[in-house]
């Protein structure tokens, strides 16, 4: 199956950056407004009496409500684009849960899952049709945002219910935790929104270039020679689940496809996170000739922009390296083996016309 068949969105992407700016401003304003009361209580050394705090709470609510509405609208917008970038990749939750998912107890996990899926399917080039999003690695940034958002809600309740009169040490700690978690949740939410926006705008630029090339408006070699690229490289394995456990769970690649074929076989493809084109086809060896190739394939190379980072991560995951990183005229390289014995080169190429 050719990746190029699905690299162009089936519908035109909507521009999103302008609306993102509005959402970011509203969320930042709401985050600041939400900590005004606890900050003043800390400065005054006592809890504000209710009549004094009411106007400030009212202002905070006035800012939080439009921020929440704008964020939900932004989710609809971003999800539309995500489906355009990765067509036929089905998200975990129904569209109605973009609204209903914010009601307890669904609000404890549904919004994070929605944002996770949008993030995963917004990468330029898109995911392969049929990709199981539950097997795609989740973003640490999104996980951090969600944990701080939940913590800020808990600390706000604690601060409101248990802080009274003059502040003792525990009450001061509760107010400080409320302020820090609320501001951190707002900052991380902004980071998530901007990151997804950057991905979708990059995909949109790529889509415009592809459409221009189809209409003859772009040079034949702009953005790839006539749109051609190396689609799949086959690696023979003994067992698909065993191979997925290594290449996805240990090595950290994204699982693009894992589906049954009509003949009873499986079509399993993986690709380095962030890559746009070439993927690995993990083919279960069939017959003596292919079985003899398991663990005996050569010339396999993973390119990276930071070899030290990936070498340390992979070594920590107990991936066996034959040597420490070494420098060659063409770049820095370290050799490791997969569970079948195939030798892979982890390569950080030198920046040159040959390596881009």
């Amino acid at each position: 199956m050719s990746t190029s068949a699905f690299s162009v969105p089936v519908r035109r992407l909507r521009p999103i950056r302008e609306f993102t700016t509005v959402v970011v401003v509203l969320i930042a304003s709401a985050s600041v407004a939400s900590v005004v009361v606890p900050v003043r209580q800390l400065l005054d050394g006592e809890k504000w009496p209710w009549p004094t705090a009411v106007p400030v709470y009212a202002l905070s609510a006035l800012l939080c409500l439009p921020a929440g509405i704008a964020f939900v609208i932004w989710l609809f917008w971003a999800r539309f684009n995500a489906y355009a970038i990765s067509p036929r990749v089905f998200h975990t939750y129904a569209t109605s849960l973009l609204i209903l998912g914010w009601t307890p107890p669904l609000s404890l996990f549904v919004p994070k899952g929605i944002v996770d899926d949008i993030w995963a399917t917004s990468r330029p080039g898109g995911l392969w049709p049929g990709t199981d999003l539950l097997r795609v690695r989740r973003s640490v940034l999104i996980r951090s945002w969600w944990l701080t958002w939940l913590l800020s809600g808990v600390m706000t309740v604690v601060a409101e219910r248990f802080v009274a009169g003059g502040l003792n040490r525990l009450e001061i700690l509760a107010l400080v935790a409320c302020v820090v978690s609320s501001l951190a949740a707002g900052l991380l939410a902004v980071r998530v929104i901007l990151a997804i926006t950057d991905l979708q705008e990059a995909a949109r630029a790529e889509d415009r270039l592809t459409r221009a090339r189809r209409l003859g408006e772009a040079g034949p070699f702009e953005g790839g020679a006539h749109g051609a690229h190396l689609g799949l490289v086959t690696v023979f394995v003994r067992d698909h689940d065993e191979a997925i456990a290594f290449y996805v769970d240990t090595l950290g690649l994204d699982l693009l496809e894992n589906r049954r074929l009509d003949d009873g076989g499986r079509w399993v493809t993986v690709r380095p996170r962030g890559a746009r084109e070439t993927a690995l086809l993990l083919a279960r060896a069939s017959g003596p000739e292919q079985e003899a190739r398991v663990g005996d394939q050569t010339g396999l190379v993973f390119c990276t922009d930071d070899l030290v980072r990936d070498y340390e991560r992979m070594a920590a995951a107990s991936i066996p390296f034959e040597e420490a990183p070494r420098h060659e005229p063409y770049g820095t390289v370290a050799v490791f083996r997969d569970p079948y014995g195939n030798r892979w080169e982890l390569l950080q190429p030198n920046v040159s016309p040959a390596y881009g």
Side-chain angles (χ1 to χ4, degrees), residues 12-318:
R12 190 180 300 275
L13 277 73
R14 301 171 177 174
I16 195 173
R17 191 172 298 280
E18 289 75 11
F19 186 57
T20 291
T21 302
V22 175
V23 177
V24 165
V25 170
L26 288 173
I27 290 178
S29 301
S31 298
V32 172
S34 67
V35 301
V36 169
V37 172
V39 167
R40 286 302 303 269
Q41 290 176 168
L42 286 169
L43 294 176
D44 294 344
E46 61 180 3
K47 184 173 183 179
W48 278 11
W50 181 248
T52 304
V54 167
V56 181
Y57 280 122
L59 175 62
S60 177
L62 287 175
L63 290 173
C64 289
L65 182 60
I69 294 174
F71 182 53
V72 170
I73 295 174
W74 182 89
L75 286 176
F76 275 96
W77 202 323
R79 183 156 145 149
F80 175 92
N81 281 349
Y83 270 121
I85 296 168
S86 299
R88 305 182 203 174
V89 177
F90 298 102
H91 291 214
T92 307
Y93 298 104
T95 303
S96 59
L97 289 177
L98 268 69
I99 298 176
L100 300 178
W102 294 94
T103 59
L106 296 178
S107 58
L108 295 176
F109 57 91
V110 168
K112 176 186 178 297
I114 290 172
V115 177
D116 269 329
D117 288 351
I118 292 174
W119 175 291
T121 51
S122 292
R123 301 169 192 168
L127 297 180
W128 280 54
T131 296
D132 182 1
L133 289 178
L134 295 179
R135 298 300 301 269
V136 176
R137 178 176 294 185
R138 299 308 190 182
S139 165
V140 175
L141 175 60
I142 294 176
R143 187 182 300 116
S144 301
W145 157 65
W146 192 246
L147 290 176
T148 55
W149 189 83
L150 293 177
L151 178 62
S152 68
V154 171
M155 296 313 303
T156 298
V157 172
V158 170
E160 289 304 315
R161 293 193 177 184
F162 299 103
V163 175
L167 303 180
N168 59 37
R169 183 174 298 178
L170 288 177
E171 291 171 336
I172 291 175
L173 289 176
L175 289 172
V176 170
C178 177
V179 172
V180 172
S181 60
S182 296
L183 292 178
L187 175 62
L188 290 172
V190 167
R191 288 284 306 278
V192 169
I193 292 170
L194 291 176
I196 292 176
T197 297
D198 288 342
L199 289 174
Q200 295 195 350
E201 287 295 326
R204 185 166 168 263
E206 185 178 272
D207 180 42
R208 288 200 303 269
L209 177 62
T210 302
R211 293 176 187 275
R213 185 164 57 234
R214 285 180 171 181
L215 294 173
E217 298 172 0
F221 294 98
E222 186 177 0
H226 300 286
H229 60 267
L230 185 62
L232 291 171
V233 174
T234 300
V235 173
F236 290 109
V237 300
R238 288 188 299 265
D239 178 79
H240 282 118
D241 292 330
E242 178 186 53
I244 290 172
F246 173 75
Y247 285 102
V248 176
D249 299 335
T250 302
L251 194 56
L253 306 188
D254 282 343
L255 180 63
L256 302 183
E257 290 187 287
N258 181 12
R259 57 186 176 84
R260 296 286 179 182
L261 301 177
D262 293 338
D263 61 4
R266 285 167 70 179
W267 181 271
V268 178
T269 59
V270 297
R271 184 172 63 185
R273 187 178 185 185
R276 300 183 183 181
E277 295 180 349
T278 307
L280 291 179
L281 172 62
L282 303 180
R284 187 176 183 275
S286 176
E289 183 177 349
Q290 292 184 2
E291 290 173 357
R293 299 292 302 278
V294 175
D296 190 34
Q297 294 180 250
T298 59
L300 302 173
V301 180
F302 273 124
C303 289
T304 175
D305 61 353
D306 190 334
L307 184 137
V308 173
R309 175 199 64 204
D310 290 334
Y311 172 81
E312 293 178 347
R313 176 183 61 80
M314 293 164 65
S318 299

